Amino acid sequence: MWDESLDYNVVREIRTKTTTYLGVGAIDKIDDIFAALKEEGIAAILCVTGGHSYKLTGAWDKVEAAAAKHGMRLALYNKVTPNPTTDSVDEAAALGREAGVGAVLCIGGGSPIDCGKSAAILLANPGKTGEDLYCYKFTPRTALPIVAINLTHGTGSEVNRFAVATVTHLNYKPAIAYDCIYPRFAIDDPALMSALSPNQTRYVSIDAVNHVVEAATTTCSNPFAVMLAAETIRLVHANLPRILAHPDNLRARYDLAYAAMMAGAAFDNGMLHLTHALEHPLSAVKPTLSHGLGLAMLLPAVIEECYPARPQVLAHILKPIVPGLSGMPDEAPKVARAVEQWLFGLGVTEKLSAVGFGEADVDTLCDLVEKTPSLDLLVSLAPVEGNRERVARIYRNSLAPLR
């Protein structure tokens, strides 16, 4: 069994920090959350969001009502785009500074949550910019209190210490991880997620699967991360097809929200490695590329590289997708192809060539993996050596379906 491969002489750090409200109607907890913030003397809140979902879902009505009840002022920044930039972080922080806010409320998926977390750092560290933060020019110890109303079932950012933003003029998309940006409270209300489009539903759920495949197989993974990984994949495998067939199925949507939350906690504990390290350059170069789609295109090739180093763990967590595995290293090609076929069966048939990448881009992408701050750390956590040759091979093997 996979657990027998763990070295019990190695001390592992296990993290759970955020108070999360999960379930249909959880949005009503915003009243209690605002009451708690008010008791701390917070009178104004920066609300960071994007698009229209914060209004269309009804979340904003609840937020405004709770703010009015508790006499709190709201400063709304609603310009966050998918794959947020440090420019957006700076703009949100400037608005919050002008309004004299004492906390940050993020409403949306990973992009608004990550932007809001980053703005919370800048608001507590005057004189610093988004580029300073994402180019590692300082190490923040403090941030304003953060609350996250999550509108997708994929990112996991509502329960962990991670955030991502793109430094546009450098094509860098680094990740940061600081204890000061754990959200104090998170809301995972599946009723707020029922309007996700079919593709959004696919991509965010696949993001959650990638989180746990990586978190369970890093060099610093722990048993808690592996347990969360197995349950996450079981729930996504069972419920993603149900949701694609019946988008208003709140039972299935609840299970996917729970899976994504667990996945966020899993990579908070086990970290990430090659799939995310190689995807960030893709969506930095092409900001319109969905992060989840980028991960889906890379995942089979990453599994083929990593399976021989963690066969028992991957056989255990991938059991719903690829039953009957014995956990032997030579199963790697079979597992990689089975995962690719599972993705194709969900309607995610694109590979890198379909979204505009080709052989000529491989060297540039490898350069970005090597130069982008933080990605070298992710690569170093892979269960196999993340040298340039291997990174290039993963990109090349992701240009078209595996053979």
Side-chain angles (χ1 to χ4, degrees):
M1 295 292 290
W2 70 268
D3 52 326
E4 294 177 358
S5 67
L6 294 172
D7 185 349
Y8 54 80
N9 291 302
V10 176
V11 177
R12 304 293 190 182
E13 184 175 356
I14 296 178
R15 291 173 171 258
T16 54
K17 299 251 185 179
T18 300
T19 297
T20 305
Y21 298 106
L22 168 69
V24 173
I27 186 60
D28 291 329
K29 288 292 185 179
I30 195 64
D31 182 77
D32 295 341
I33 292 169
F34 277 14
L37 295 177
K38 185 71 172 182
E39 285 184 4
E40 295 179 26
I42 294 171
I45 297 176
L46 172 65
C47 302
V48 178
T49 187
H52 306 287
S53 60
Y54 72 104
K55 285 190 173 181
L56 295 176
T57 59
W60 185 243
D61 291 339
K62 298 285 188 176
V63 169
E64 285 192 307
K69 177 179 176 180
H70 297 287
M72 305 182 81
R73 293 178 286 111
L74 302 177
L76 177 63
Y77 180 81
N78 59 357
K79 301 177 182 178
V80 182
T81 59
N83 298 308
T85 68
T86 52
D87 295 335
S88 292
V89 172
D90 289 335
E91 290 175 3
L95 177 62
R97 199 172 294 116
E98 182 180 349
V101 303
V104 176
L105 171 66
C106 317
I107 310 173
S111 295
I113 295 174
D114 288 359
C115 184
K117 286 179 171 181
S118 306
I121 289 176
L122 298 191
L123 287 165
N125 293 270
K128 303 300 184 183
T129 68
E131 185 168 331
D132 292 338
L133 177 61
Y134 279 92
C135 287
Y136 287 81
K137 294 181 180 178
F138 75 108
T139 301
R141 304 295 181 192
T142 58
L144 295 191
I146 299 162
V147 177
I149 299 175
N150 185 32
L151 300 184
T152 71
H153 42 74
T155 173
S157 189
E158 78 275 17
V159 296
N160 64 36
R161 63 199 151 118
F162 289 86
V164 174
T166 299
V167 185
T168 49
H169 71 97
L170 296 173
N171 275 342
Y172 286 174
K173 187 181 175 183
I176 58 172
Y178 297 112
D179 281 10
C180 61
I181 54 172
Y182 279 105
R184 187 176 299 182
F185 299 102
I187 290 173
D188 276 316
D189 187 334
L192 302 181
M193 305 173 188
S194 57
L196 288 171
S197 72
N199 273 343
Q200 287 174 316
T201 295
R202 290 180 177 95
Y203 299 156
V204 297
S205 301
I206 290 166
D207 189 7
V209 169
N210 275 272
H211 287 155
V212 298
V213 168
E214 293 171 79
T217 56
T218 62
T219 57
C220 62
S221 188
N222 62 45
F224 186 52
V226 176
M227 179 190 73
L228 294 175
E231 183 65 357
T232 294
I233 291 175
R234 184 187 73 81
L235 288 171
V236 172
H237 181 264
N239 290 284
L240 183 50
R242 293 169 66 194
I243 278 293
L244 292 174
H246 301 286
D248 58 350
N249 183 334
L250 288 180
R251 170 79 252 179
R253 195 75 73 173
Y254 173 93
D255 285 348
L256 290 175
Y258 179 43
M261 185 202 75
M262 286 192 293
F267 82 84
D268 196 35
N269 280 273
M271 300 288 287
L272 300 170
H273 58 75
L274 289 172
T275 321
H276 274 76
L278 273 64
E279 194 288 322
H280 283 198
L282 298 178
S283 49
V285 172
K286 295 183 183 294
T288 58
L289 175 65
S290 165
H291 173 60
L293 174 57
L295 293 170
M297 294 186 289
L298 294 168
L299 180 60
V302 170
I303 287 177
E304 187 161 20
E305 295 290 331
C306 294
Y307 191 90
R310 294 289 189 275
Q312 292 180 330
V313 171
L314 285 168
H316 173 66
I317 67 173
L318 291 172
K319 190 186 307 179
I321 298 172
V322 197
L325 295 174
S326 58
M328 298 300 292
D330 62 3
E331 293 173 320
K334 167 188 171 181
V335 177
R337 284 153 184 76
V339 169
E340 185 172 74
Q341 289 304 309
W342 174 69
L343 292 167
F344 288 175
L346 292 170
V348 185
T349 58
E350 298 93 336
K351 302 300 289 187
L352 292 182
S353 59
V355 297
F357 290 101
E359 174 67 33
D361 299 304
V362 170
D363 276 344
T364 299
L365 293 170
C366 289
D367 289 342
L368 286 171
V369 171
E370 292 172 357
K371 295 176 182 178
T372 300
S374 80
L375 298 190
D376 58 340
L377 171 61
L378 297 188
V379 170
S380 75
L381 295 175
V384 292
E385 183 183 356
N387 53 37
R388 189 181 179 97
E389 179 184 0
R390 175 168 274 117
V391 169
R393 184 164 62 242
I394 292 170
Y395 279 131
R396 289 192 176 98
N397 288 342
S398 302
L399 289 171
L402 294 172
R403 291 191 290 274

